[in-house]
Amino acid sequence: MLDVKMIRQKPDFVKEQLGHRNVPASQIDDLLAEDENRRDLIAKSEQLKATRNQVSSEISTKKRNKEDASGEIAEMQKVSAEIKALDEQRRNSEAQVHDMAAHLPNIPHPDVPISATEDGSVELRRIGTPREFDFEPKAHWTLGEDLGILDFERGAKVSGSRFLYYVGDGAKLERAVYNFFLDQHEAEGYTEVLPPYMVTDESMYGTGQFPKFKDDAFRITTQDLSLIPTAEVPLVNYYRDEVIPAEKLPVYFTALSPAFREEAGSAGRDTKGLIRLHQFNKVEMVKFTKPEESWDELEKLTNNAESLLKKLGLPYHVITLTTSDMSFTAAMTHDLEVWFPEQNKYREISSCSNCTDFQARRAHIQYRDDDGKLQYVHTLNGSGLAVGRTVAAIMENYQNEDGSITIPDVLVPYMHGKTKIEKQK
């Protein structure tokens, strides 16, 4: 979250920057008004406490001198009741200020393109040339059903819409993809983690999912737990309420996990295929860095994700998202979009973000600088990659006229030497 002290000191700057993220100035004004009320309550309480201390000393003196102090005692009883009421008002005001600040997104980096919508993102680079087919390419869901490796009908029967079964070589291809990703990230210096798939409300708050996006989570209400929407949540919260030794930084984590998404507001979008499911596998990358290193680390993180697409031979491009399109916690996001031949367009397969100290403030993750002072770390996260979307991109880009799918060379060892997926027997 944002530092309320910073908002108080630079209100016009914050209004301008968050205005680029469609936050009305009145939202900042309301927060500052409540913050001023909170500080007034503190001042009044402290003044009364000082008076109480002074009069209490006088009462003690009168008692020692065997003088009547009943008037002062009665007066201080009233003062104590007033202090109690003020402190209760202060606690309520503090909670309100905290909640109002928790609903504000991160300040965008100056290089983020400004736009009130997702239109206006900037393409940084385009890698690979889309394949020219001498036949009409099919959608991955059609290929998967024809080959017998994706079963959407039975997925819907068992669990409802936006669920499926991977069958036979489909399941093996999914496993090959995420094992390849994890091995590549380990070679790049990431520590593999197998995290919990359910997390507390405090964890969801720490990474910015709560309170603003609480309705988008799959909740286990009997336990006050949520199914994770991404491994970013348990990975970032690994160090919640801790001070990371400075010599350990930067810390790199990677994890494979299922991601559970309500997909609220996506009715009618991507109802077919692997693009928008309620449950899908994703390999995540998370970094903890010193502030002065985080922007270089964002480029490294993006390159780590890109290297996977390059090795798979999938055409893609990298774009910087607009102020309105990047995630709530991000100060800058680079999206990787991979080419889908049947749709004749690029589709997102990874978002790589620098969240600066936004999540670290919420989760209280710090380190000691060279002067021994506590500072907040910067956190970064990126998909490395969304596994199902990668499988879909492989199927469409490596399809053959007879409906079979050629396995990318780097995945052949993970498929036990199999070079092609053909119709399942």
Side-chain angles (χ1 to χ4, degrees):
M1 63 193 300
L2 300 179
D3 183 1
V4 175
K5 182 179 179 182
M6 182 272 293
I7 298 173
R8 190 189 312 136
Q9 292 173 341
K10 300 191 288 185
D12 292 337
F13 168 78
V14 174
K15 288 178 185 178
E16 179 186 17
Q17 295 301 310
L18 295 190
H20 299 323
R21 305 202 66 175
N22 301 324
V23 176
S26 60
Q27 199 168 331
I28 312 300
D29 289 333
D30 290 344
L31 184 151
L32 291 173
E34 189 58 46
D35 181 55
E36 185 175 357
N37 178 52
R38 177 190 65 84
R39 289 185 291 139
D40 286 344
L41 290 168
I42 291 173
K44 289 176 182 177
S45 177
E46 293 301 320
Q47 185 176 6
L48 286 176
K49 287 175 182 177
T51 299
R52 184 176 62 181
N53 290 339
Q54 180 182 346
V55 175
S56 295
S57 178
E58 294 172 1
I59 291 171
S60 297
T61 300
K62 282 192 172 185
K63 285 184 175 180
R64 282 197 303 271
N65 295 333
K66 297 183 178 180
E67 298 175 7
D68 181 22
S70 57
E72 288 86 348
I73 291 172
E75 181 184 351
M76 287 307 99
Q77 287 175 340
K78 294 180 181 178
V79 169
S80 293
E82 192 173 349
I83 290 171
K84 183 178 179 181
L86 285 170
D87 285 347
E88 180 63 23
Q89 293 176 49
R90 173 187 55 79
R91 283 190 290 270
N92 290 337
S93 182
E94 284 178 348
Q96 193 167 348
V97 168
H98 192 272
D99 183 67
M100 294 167 81
H103 281 79
L104 295 176
N106 204 352
I107 297 288
H109 186 276
D111 291 342
V112 173
I114 298 170
S115 174
T117 68
E118 63 183 32
D119 297 329
S121 59
V122 175
E123 185 179 72
L124 300 179
R125 51 191 170 270
R126 187 175 295 203
I127 307 297
T129 303
R131 174 184 169 189
E132 292 187 8
F133 290 84
D134 53 10
F135 60 91
E136 189 69 26
K138 296 179 181 178
H140 65 273
W141 58 84
T142 300
L143 289 164
E145 289 173 334
D146 290 347
L147 290 169
I149 63 174
L150 301 179
D151 194 331
F152 295 96
E153 185 177 346
R154 287 189 174 91
K157 177 185 71 175
V158 172
S159 300
S161 63
R162 300 185 191 269
F163 290 92
L164 82 153
Y165 284 93
Y166 288 85
V167 180
D169 284 343
K172 291 176 183 176
L173 180 59
E174 174 100 353
R175 176 157 50 94
V177 167
Y178 62 65
N179 281 331
F180 168 66
F181 289 171
L182 291 170
D183 287 349
Q184 292 299 304
H185 292 322
E186 183 181 23
E188 292 161 340
Y190 290 81
T191 298
E192 184 179 349
V193 177
L194 185 61
Y197 299 157
M198 293 180 284
V199 294
T200 63
D201 290 358
E202 290 81 6
S203 295
M204 292 288 274
Y205 175 85
T207 43
Q209 277 76 22
F210 286 2
K212 189 173 177 64
F213 305 105
K214 195 168 186 176
D215 291 342
D216 293 334
F218 280 114
R219 301 276 291 146
I220 302 168
T221 54
T222 57
Q223 299 288 330
D224 280 333
L225 293 172
S226 297
L227 295 172
I228 59 172
T230 165
E232 171 196 344
V233 179
L235 292 180
V236 170
N237 280 279
Y238 184 88
Y239 283 121
R240 192 178 79 233
D241 297 323
E242 293 188 33
V243 177
I244 304 175
E247 62 272 16
K248 277 192 173 185
L249 296 173
V251 174
Y252 293 2
F253 284 153
T254 188
L256 163 73
S257 77
F260 302 94
R261 304 281 177 90
E262 179 70 24
E263 292 293 355
S266 66
R269 297 173 59 197
D270 299 313
T271 55
K272 291 184 177 181
L274 302 173
I275 300 299
R276 202 175 296 276
L277 300 171
H278 288 311
Q279 175 192 320
F280 59 93
N281 288 323
K282 185 157 72 79
V283 174
E284 188 73 9
M285 302 176 289
V286 162
K287 294 184 175 187
F288 303 85
T289 77
K290 295 178 181 178
E292 64 270 19
E293 298 172 352
S294 67
W295 295 107
D296 286 341
E297 291 292 347
L298 175 60
E299 299 311 311
K300 292 179 184 177
L301 182 78
T302 306
N303 290 336
N304 294 152
E306 285 186 74
S307 69
L308 303 173
L309 294 175
K310 289 177 181 176
K311 290 175 181 178
L312 288 169
L314 294 172
Y316 70 94
H317 71 166
V318 182
I319 60 174
T320 300
L321 297 186
T322 67
T323 50
S324 299
D325 198 27
M326 63 184 181
S327 71
F328 178 78
T329 59
M332 176 181 278
T333 297
H334 298 323
D335 260 16
L336 278 63
E337 296 186 335
V338 68
W339 181 256
F340 277 83
E342 192 273 339
Q343 298 180 45
N344 196 39
K345 66 187 293 187
Y346 291 100
R347 300 299 304 265
E348 178 200 339
I349 200 165
S350 174
S351 287
C352 297
S353 301
N354 185 355
C355 298
T356 58
D357 62 357
F358 191 85
Q359 291 178 325
R361 286 182 179 277
R362 299 170 78 99
H364 301 107
I365 306 171
Q366 299 175 299
Y367 76 103
R368 291 192 183 276
D369 63 18
D370 293 340
D371 296 325
K373 295 181 180 179
L374 285 172
Q375 305 288 352
Y376 289 104
V377 300
H378 280 195
T379 61
L380 300 92
N381 66 81
S383 307
L385 302 162
V387 180
R389 292 191 179 196
T390 305
V391 169
I394 289 170
M395 291 173 66
E396 290 200 13
N397 284 277
Y398 281 90
Q399 64 180 290
N400 303 306
E401 189 171 9
D402 63 0
S404 64
I405 298 166
T406 300
I407 305 298
D409 291 343
V410 292
L411 296 183
V412 170
Y414 295 89
M415 294 289 290
H416 305 291
K418 178 171 284 194
T419 60
K420 187 180 289 188
I421 295 177
E422 299 175 297
K423 189 171 180 63
Q424 303 290 280
K425 295 181 181 179

